[in-house]
Amino acid sequence: MIQKDYDLKGVEFLKILGFLVLSLFIITGCSPNDEKESAETVTEVSTSVAESEIKEKEIETRSISEHFTKDLTDEVWIEINLDSNGQVSQNSQVSSFLVTNDTSHESDLYKGFSIYNPDEKGYVYINISDGQLFTSGDFKTKLIDIYKLYVNGELNQKIFKAHIDQEASFKDREKEMFGGVYASYPHANELTFTHLINRETSELSQRIDFKGIDSFYKDDNLNFRYRTFKVTDDEQNIEIKFEGYPKLYLVGFKGKGENGSSYLVKFSDKKENFIFDPMYSNKEIEIQEVSE
């Protein structure tokens, strides 16, 4: 009797032990998969965050003075007037170009720059007017026209033929239908910059100053031409796309130029951030207090 009770207790013990072993096997068998799934989820999130950080780092950022050096080439900066709603549209008028030289020695623009500067460096400021001397028609230069010329690789050549080629007559230059033309345009080796501090609000803005020599005027008191652009909003990236043409960005600044509120931008196939120079980072940048 004692032996039978012992056998029964032994069987019950083995059942309990077996159940515990099975439970342990199930638990340990499932945990690795759960951990793996959890690890994969964390990896996916981490990868997503990393890709986002890389994408942000791909946006090149430079301060105004870092970018606009006397050695800058292969860029045409465009001043675009804002409409009554403060916006840019395909029919927005282009009021001026800030042109740097082309490094392609085969281009007419490269050869034409020697007219202004033997070093073939610096900036030529081209003001665009509506009026014409010899022909009639709509000569307002619109953003959509500039966009198409840029995409087709013809913008530099068009600017040269209509404005910089001094061997061409006024009539020939006006035939380009690219805004009113002048006898010559001012040239500057480099730009200068000024920090503007609003004395009431302490708000910071920055001015881009162009002081160019116009060789057409022989009198030293007359041959300087001044242009300024007050940058009020930096880091401007405006997506632009017309049917049948690739997407581009207008990158640069928003502010006030000679013709009122406008954008000063260039075309780019990617976003680029141009920012105010940090205060006191460049001793050559003058600081002025303003009331507006």
Side-chain angles (χ1 to χ4, degrees), residues 110-129:
Y110 175 83
K111 299 166 189 173
F113 244 74
S114 62
I115 298 169
Y116 297 91
N117 185 354
D119 293 335
E120 298 167 347
K121 293 183 179 181
Y123 301 83
V124 175
Y125 179 87
I126 296 174
N127 189 45
I128 305 295
S129 71

Side-chain angles (χ1 to χ4, degrees), residues 244-268:
Y245 289 84
K247 179 180 75 175
L248 291 175
Y249 293 96
L250 293 170
V251 300
F253 318 103
K254 186 178 181 180
K256 293 183 178 180
E258 299 293 320
N259 300 296
S261 297
S262 57
Y263 281 99
L264 183 63
V265 291
K266 71 182 183 79
F267 291 111
S268 177

Side-chain angles (χ1 to χ4, degrees), residues 14-161:
L14 289 175
K15 284 182 179 179
I16 294 170
L17 181 61
F19 175 79
L20 291 173
V21 171
L22 181 61
S23 299
L24 183 62
F25 175 79
I26 292 171
I27 292 171
T28 55
C30 292
S31 293
N33 289 334
D34 292 342
E35 289 176 4
K36 184 178 180 182
E37 288 177 6
S38 177
E40 285 176 351
T41 302
V42 171
T43 303
E44 286 174 4
V45 172
S46 300
T47 302
S48 178
V49 171
E51 286 175 352
S52 176
E53 289 175 351
I54 290 171
K55 196 168 278 188
E56 286 299 317
K57 289 178 181 178
E58 285 176 352
I59 302 177
E60 190 172 2
T61 300
R62 284 154 290 172
S63 74
I64 293 173
S65 68
E66 284 175 335
H67 184 74
F68 288 102
T69 68
K70 62 182 178 182
D71 295 320
L72 183 63
T73 57
D74 297 308
E75 289 188 357
V76 175
W77 283 74
I78 307 158
E79 186 174 359
I80 305 172
N81 297 344
L82 303 185
D83 60 23
S84 57
N85 297 319
Q87 302 296 321
V88 168
S89 69
Q90 66 178 30
N91 292 318
S92 293
Q93 186 179 356
V94 172
S95 58
S96 67
F97 296 113
L98 191 62
V99 184
T100 66
N101 202 1
D102 193 332
T103 52
S104 171
H105 292 197
E106 301 302 316
S107 75
D108 288 331
L109 184 60
Y110 175 83
K111 299 166 189 173
F113 244 74
S114 62
I115 298 169
Y116 297 91
N117 185 354
D119 293 335
E120 298 167 347
K121 293 183 179 181
Y123 301 83
V124 175
Y125 179 87
I126 296 174
N127 189 45
I128 305 295
S129 71
D130 300 335
Q132 300 296 301
L133 295 174
F134 303 104
T135 53
S136 60
D138 183 7
F139 285 82
K140 291 184 179 179
T141 309
K142 298 180 176 63
L143 176 58
I144 188 170
D145 302 322
I146 307 299
Y147 176 86
K148 290 177 179 179
L149 287 167
Y150 178 83
V151 170
N152 293 330
E154 299 171 350
L155 180 57
N156 287 6
Q157 182 71 357
K158 188 75 169 178
I159 290 173
F160 174 80
K161 284 185 174 181

